[in-house]
Amino acid sequence: MTIRVLVADDHAAVRAGIVLILGGADDLEVVGEAADGEQAVAMARESRPDVVLMDVRMPRLDGISATRELAGVTDVLILTTFDVDEYVFGALRAGAAGFLLKNTDAESLVEAVRLVARGDGLISPGVTRRLIAAFAEQAPRREPAGDPGNLTPREREVLACVGRGLSNAEIARELDMAEATTKTHVSRVLNKLGLKSRVQAAIYYAEGI
């Protein structure tokens, strides 16, 4: 199955580089390029890509606001030059599926897009763990809309695995269940807690339930 990707970055040279990298993968197709957040939102709503690669700082509409508007429409993978930055925290709160630093090598960028398209998000990389830890320490706690007491014992196990950065395949192996069942449990956890992405679930777990 071909993964359809929209690239949003206000620097033409950066966009061109990303498009070149993604174009080298047989299973990825770039379906559009946006130079600002408003354009990214409009193009994503029209073309419905599987993943949007979103810069954080863009004119007209920043990447955080654009991500918030696209939550539930498509998965957003943030690209940023900052290791620990309030904009990244805001993007995760807005529902981003994950993020990468712009100095990420080509192979890792392609694999990150594949992971997000599969619904796994980006929880495992060390930089993500550092950001989650920093977020838990620095950001004010926000209670989710759902009550964690509504989670079943199995859903709590799944949430713990997500919090540890495990992919769906890894959770399935650890809890001895089918990967499709794992995806269903993850979706139920997000719905019950009123969260938009597994990254938010990992942050919530790091803050303590």
Side-chain angles (χ1 to χ4, degrees):
M1 183 184 73
T2 300
I3 299 170
R4 304 171 71 253
V5 186
L6 172 67
V7 179
D9 196 295
D10 61 329
H11 293 94
V14 174
R15 286 201 314 275
I18 294 172
V19 170
L20 182 63
I21 291 171
L22 299 182
D26 294 336
D27 58 337
L28 303 185
E29 176 189 0
V30 176
V31 296
E33 300 178 42
D36 60 63
E38 284 190 5
Q39 189 177 28
V41 171
M43 292 179 69
R45 285 176 172 165
E46 180 179 353
S47 62
R48 295 300 175 109
D50 300 301
V51 179
V52 176
L53 285 176
M54 184 84 72
D55 188 20
V56 174
R57 293 177 172 174
M58 290 188 294
R60 297 177 68 191
L61 188 70
D62 62 78
I64 298 172
S65 299
T67 297
R68 186 175 298 111
E69 291 197 29
L70 291 176
V73 175
T74 185
D75 287 321
V76 177
L77 175 58
I78 293 292
L79 292 174
T80 178
T81 56
F82 303 97
D83 244 338
V84 177
D85 183 88
E86 62 182 300
Y87 295 108
V88 177
F89 298 157
L92 296 179
R93 285 298 196 198
F99 72 91
L100 287 177
L101 298 179
K102 286 186 176 178
N103 61 2
T104 298
D105 62 75
E107 183 178 353
S108 297
L109 174 60
V110 169
E111 184 57 28
V113 172
R114 291 171 177 154
L115 283 170
V116 169
R118 289 201 300 264
D120 279 336
L122 288 177
I123 309 297
S124 297
V127 63
T128 305
R129 290 178 179 144
R130 291 200 305 273
L131 278 168
I132 290 173
F135 188 92
E137 291 175 2
Q138 299 173 11
R141 181 181 175 86
R142 179 185 65 85
E143 295 295 338
D147 180 1
N150 290 331
L151 298 180
T152 66
R154 178 59 96 182
E155 288 166 351
R156 283 180 171 271
E157 290 177 335
V158 170
L159 175 59
C161 289
V162 171
R164 288 163 48 205
L166 301 187
S167 68
N168 285 344
E170 291 169 333
I171 295 173
R173 287 194 297 270
E174 177 156 325
L175 300 183
D176 191 24
M177 59 185 178
E179 188 170 347
T181 304
T182 299
K183 292 179 68 175
T184 299
H185 280 304
V186 171
S187 295
R188 287 175 178 169
V189 168
L190 296 181
N191 288 335
K192 286 184 177 182
L193 296 180
L195 302 172
K196 298 177 181 178
S197 72
R198 62 193 298 135
V199 175
Q200 287 187 344
I203 293 170
Y204 178 65
Y205 183 81
E207 291 178 331
I209 61 175

